Amino acid sequence: EDQVTQSPEALRLQEGESSSLNCSYTVSGLRGLFWYRQDPGKGPEFLFTLYSAGEEKEKERLKATLTKKESFLHITAPKPEDSATYLCAVQGSNYQLIWGAGTKLIIKP
Amino acid sequence: ETGVTQTPRHLVMGMTNKKSLKCEQHLGHNAMYWYKQSAKKPLELMFVYNFKEQTENNSVPSRFSPECPNSSHLFLHLHTLQPEDSALYLCASSQENGNGYTFGSGTRLTVV
């Protein structure tokens, strides 16, 4: 069964304290793994798509990596404005997206 | 502005009411989606439309009725809802292959 598990459920960091969010997945025929950011009261905002193991993508303080079993979203020297819920989803051979429950990231000044 | 517009942003309705949620996109996307988002749960796919044709209905109760009059507009008609239907309802659009969804800001629905 296709499945996505994100950990931790919540993460509190001090400003400047680097860390990583995890997205573990099982899927038949991975077509892509997606990372989204969601601010309170808003819809998810697209961040990255990763297609194959070994691929990496970066945007400002965020870097996403992919293996055959999991993806990490590394956040380097985070700022309070990086506080949000980060969602991971995988797309399998049937083109459907399977979503994780998200990690709520809080960055304290 | 995300390119996908949802109205209303907030809705409170009684269990006997009938209301509709509206979604509009002008991104040239061919697919549109309704999702339900409840606290601490993964996004739940409700309906998918490709080129105005419904291609997915994930066992959604009949009190939710979608309508897609054209490739730019999507509606979700609501009637006789239950309190457990209270949630954030998100609309999204994408190209046909489902890559890179663009989401609206959602409608926060409260059923009383």
Side-chain angles (χ1 to χ4, degrees):
Chain A
E1 182 185 346
D2 296 345
Q3 189 171 317
V4 174
T5 303
Q6 290 189 247
S7 61
E9 186 176 313
L11 181 62
R12 293 174 182 269
L13 300 172
Q14 289 295 131
E15 183 174 1
E17 180 184 0
S18 302
S19 188
S20 298
L21 314 182
N22 179 263
C23 173
S24 298
Y25 66 91
T26 54
V27 67
S28 299
L30 178 71
R31 291 190 175 273
L33 184 142
F34 305 86
W35 282 100
Y36 285 79
R37 169 193 171 127
Q38 186 173 22
D39 293 301
K42 294 189 176 182
E45 178 186 346
F46 173 74
L47 291 173
F48 304 110
T49 307
L50 301 168
Y51 294 101
S52 58
E55 190 175 359
E56 299 182 352
K57 288 197 175 169
E58 287 188 66
K59 179 180 179 180
E60 296 180 0
R61 294 176 292 281
L62 298 176
K63 179 180 176 180
T65 61
L66 181 65
T67 72
K68 289 185 177 181
K69 294 182 178 181
E70 60 191 349
S71 176
F72 289 94
L73 186 65
H74 306 279
I75 181 159
T76 303
K79 299 181 178 182
E81 54 262 41
D82 295 320
S83 297
T85 296
Y86 290 85
L87 303 175
C88 170
V90 296
Q91 186 181 47
S93 55
N94 64 2
Y95 291 98
Q96 281 226 17
L97 285 188
I98 310 299
W99 293 85
T103 293
K104 184 175 183 178
L105 179 65
I106 299 169
I107 309 298
K108 295 191 170 185
Chain B
E1 206 50 58
T2 64
V4 176
T5 303
Q6 288 188 245
T7 54
R9 291 296 309 277
H10 301 274
L11 178 61
V12 179
M13 58 186 289
M15 290 189 283
T16 58
N17 290 160
K18 288 185 181 182
K19 296 286 184 183
S20 296
L21 310 185
K22 180 182 176 182
C23 176
E24 185 173 351
Q25 61 94 6
H26 295 288
L27 299 169
H29 289 164
N30 301 316
M32 296 187 76
Y33 312 81
W34 280 117
Y35 276 94
K36 176 183 179 181
Q37 187 175 37
S38 304
K40 298 187 178 181
K41 285 186 170 183
L43 292 177
E44 298 175 50
L45 180 63
M46 300 176 73
F47 302 104
V48 180
Y49 279 82
N50 276 293
F51 294 97
K52 301 187 302 177
E53 299 296 323
Q54 188 180 127
T55 55
E56 293 284 342
N57 176 341
N58 281 3
S59 303
V60 180
S62 60
R63 57 186 183 270
F64 295 90
S65 174
E67 179 189 359
C68 188
N70 55 61
S71 58
S72 299
H73 294 85
L74 186 64
F75 295 89
L76 188 61
H77 304 298
L78 316 171
H79 64 97
T80 58
L81 294 190
Q82 305 298 311
E84 60 264 29
D85 296 322
S86 299
L88 181 68
Y89 288 85
L90 291 164
C91 173
S93 69
S94 75
Q95 293 298 348
E96 185 185 356
N97 64 6
N99 259 332
Y101 287 21
T102 301
F103 284 86
S105 294
T107 295
R108 172 64 65 184
L109 174 67
T110 304
V111 182
V112 296

